[in-house]
């Protein structure tokens, strides 16, 4: 059996960090405050998600600023094409960060005349 690549390990730990009760509560609180508004999601949810990722990736030599998370995201994107497991974990991470907004359009149903 192949040992996991360092990128898989880091990505796996980042995903696990979102299920730590304290972090899950922080994300839930940010999502509730954002009320499915994409602009508010970017203002409220993304910074919390970035902090959670930073807490994990700083142990692997990524800088503890936003640019560390961006560098990590670029690496994951690069490895997605080469490693199906990383691709699957990347999809999972994205779903944790910004779940699909599946609310009906404002005003409800389209009126029929």
């Amino acid at each position: 059996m192949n040992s996991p690549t360092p990128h898989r390990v880091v990505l796996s730990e980042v995903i696990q960090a979102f299920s730590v009760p304290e972090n899950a509560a922080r994300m839930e609180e940010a999502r509730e405050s954002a009320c499915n508004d994409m602009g508010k999601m970017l203002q409220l949810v993304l910074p919390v998600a970035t902090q959670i990722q930073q807490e994990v990736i700083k142990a692997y030599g990524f800088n503890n600023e936003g640019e560390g998370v961006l560098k990590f995201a670029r690496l994951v994107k690069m490895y997605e094409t080469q490693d199906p497991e990383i691709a699957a974990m990347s999809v999972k991470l994205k779903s944790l960060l910004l779940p699909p907004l599946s609310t009906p359009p404002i005003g409800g149903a389209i009126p029929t005349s």
Side-chain angles (χ1 to χ4, degrees):
M1 189 168 107
N2 293 342
S3 64
T5 64
H7 304 95
R8 283 186 191 170
V9 171
V10 180
L11 191 52
S12 176
E13 287 186 20
V14 167
I15 291 168
Q16 287 172 4
F18 282 93
S19 61
V20 171
E22 177 190 329
N23 292 337
R26 287 167 60 199
M27 287 294 288
E28 187 58 33
E29 185 179 324
R31 279 196 192 98
E32 285 175 7
S33 298
C35 302
N36 274 352
D37 175 302
M38 188 50 85
K40 288 183 180 173
M41 287 286 232
L42 294 172
Q43 290 175 333
L44 302 171
V45 178
L46 218 49
V48 173
T50 299
Q51 286 172 354
I52 292 169
Q53 289 179 76
Q54 282 173 339
E55 290 162 13
V56 175
I57 67 174
K58 70 182 179 186
Y60 293 92
F62 289 91
N63 100 20
N64 201 21
E65 302 296 318
E67 85 183 49
V69 172
L70 291 174
K71 184 177 179 185
F72 175 68
R74 282 194 300 267
L75 278 173
V76 168
K77 187 120 188 93
M78 187 174 79
Y79 283 102
E80 278 177 356
T81 59
Q82 302 164 18
D83 185 331
E85 195 173 327
I86 287 181
M89 286 193 283
S90 177
V91 168
K92 181 170 175 62
L93 179 59
K94 287 173 188 159
S95 74
L96 291 168
L97 300 181
L98 292 173
L101 300 175
S102 57
T103 55
I106 307 253
I110 297 168
T112 56
S113 39

